Amino acid sequence: MSPFPTETNKHALEEGTVLSPRFDANGLVTVVATEADSGAVLMVAHMNAEALKRSIKTGEAWYWSRSRQELWHKGATSGQIQTIVEMRVDCDQDALWIKVKVGGDGGCCHTGRCSCFYRLKPLRGEAEKPLILCD
Amino acid sequence: MSPFPTETNKHALEEGTVLSPRFDANGLVTVVATEADSGAVLMVAHMNAEALKRSIKTGEAWYWSRSRQELWHKGATSGQIQTIVEMRVDCDQDALWIKVKVGGDGGCCHTGRCSCFYRLKPLRGEAEKPLILCD
């Protein structure tokens, strides 16, 4: 059973002080992890109720891996534990923002980079313009 | 027809320079908008292919409104136009990060706040602990 209540009243959902995550059809909320000091977006991932409960309880980021279909204690094998400095929820409670400090070598992306967002898209031109690898 | 190619090769998707968004079953990618100067996460929203194409072309954020089921030129009525300073795509190309400058009164959330993430969740305690309204 989910440890979180369901709130259907829009006003209560948006202005209330009860965490009532709106899990999607797959039981997930979207999570944005940013680096606590630099503010860089490190990754976008998902939590189910159990992952969210563990993240709140331990102060370390737990996710639901959609590819592996299992709970994922980020950094458990790599050492790249994400210690959550702050957690916020958005207006309609279907997204979370966590500010984290990254353990181990400070990496986050499975490709070895610090952030998953290592490619820039040039703007004000055609969609076909190539991405720029930036770090 | 989508103006974006589909890339099924994992290496090309992750290391290549072709923008090949992995739209979900509803034809959407997740978009994180942060304030270009402060780094604050303003909102998490979605783009379909057309919204993404327009965002790239104009340098202003267009989204797909899931609640209204229509293209949404953010700020068209409120003046809170989001001028995109930088757009990045993540490793597996199912999420975008845009750094934006907000026009009009600088607001973003439909509740009137600057950011949709105006509530803090206390950590290292029980899931039931109330949210804290922070601005």
Side-chain angles (χ1 to χ4, degrees):
Chain A
M1 206 192 111
S2 170
F4 302 102
T6 302
E7 180 56 72
T8 53
N9 178 276
K10 189 174 149 71
H11 183 76
L13 191 71
E14 294 182 352
E15 301 296 334
T17 58
V18 177
L19 181 61
S20 315
R22 290 202 307 126
F23 297 105
D24 69 11
N26 296 310
L28 304 174
V29 288
T30 301
V31 182
V32 180
T34 62
E35 207 288 320
D37 293 322
S38 71
V41 177
L42 298 175
M43 59 191 283
V44 171
H46 299 83
M47 291 182 187
N48 64 3
E50 181 62 26
L52 177 54
K53 185 182 163 189
R54 292 187 188 198
S55 297
I56 291 168
K57 184 115 187 162
T58 65
E60 293 180 353
W62 285 75
Y63 299 102
W64 176 256
S65 168
R66 294 184 301 175
S67 55
R68 296 192 304 273
Q69 289 285 301
E70 62 182 24
L71 274 175
W72 170 28
H73 183 199
K74 176 74 178 166
T77 53
S78 68
Q80 297 167 350
I81 294 282
Q82 295 182 346
T83 301
I84 308 174
V85 174
E86 189 176 291
M87 177 183 281
R88 291 178 179 234
V89 63
D90 77 344
C91 46
D92 62 357
Q93 301 208 31
D94 65 354
L96 299 166
W97 168 21
I98 55 175
K99 300 180 187 176
V100 302
K101 298 258 190 190
V102 182
D105 64 3
C108 167
C109 183
H110 74 287
T111 66
R113 280 107 168 170
C114 283
S115 162
C116 294
F117 292 87
Y118 49 86
R119 284 173 297 185
L120 279 169
K121 175 65 189 173
L123 297 172
R124 298 168 193 90
E126 296 311 310
E128 292 76 13
K129 219 163 170 186
L131 299 171
I132 299 166
L133 279 151
C134 51
D135 45 48
Chain B
M1 206 192 111
S2 170
F4 302 101
T6 302
E7 181 57 71
T8 52
N9 179 276
K10 188 174 151 71
H11 182 77
L13 190 71
E14 294 182 351
E15 302 295 335
T17 58
V18 178
L19 181 61
S20 315
R22 290 202 307 128
F23 297 105
D24 69 11
N26 296 310
L28 304 174
V29 288
T30 302
V31 182
V32 180
T34 62
E35 208 288 319
D37 294 322
S38 71
V41 176
L42 298 175
M43 60 191 283
V44 171
H46 298 84
M47 291 182 187
N48 65 1
E50 181 61 26
L52 177 54
K53 185 182 164 189
R54 291 187 190 198
S55 296
I56 291 168
K57 185 113 185 164
T58 66
E60 294 179 353
W62 285 75
Y63 298 102
W64 176 256
S65 168
R66 294 184 302 174
S67 54
R68 296 193 304 273
Q69 289 284 300
E70 62 182 24
L71 274 174
W72 169 29
H73 183 199
K74 176 75 178 165
T77 52
S78 67
Q80 298 168 350
I81 294 282
Q82 295 182 346
T83 302
I84 307 174
V85 174
E86 189 177 290
M87 177 182 281
R88 290 178 180 234
V89 64
D90 78 342
C91 47
D92 62 357
Q93 301 208 30
D94 65 353
L96 298 167
W97 168 19
I98 55 174
K99 300 179 189 177
V100 303
K101 299 258 190 192
V102 181
D105 63 4
C108 169
C109 183
H110 74 287
T111 66
R113 281 108 169 168
C114 283
S115 161
C116 294
F117 292 87
Y118 50 85
R119 284 173 297 184
L120 278 169
K121 174 67 189 171
L123 297 172
R124 298 170 194 88
E126 297 311 308
E128 292 76 12
K129 220 164 170 185
L131 300 171
I132 299 167
L133 278 152
C134 52
D135 47 48

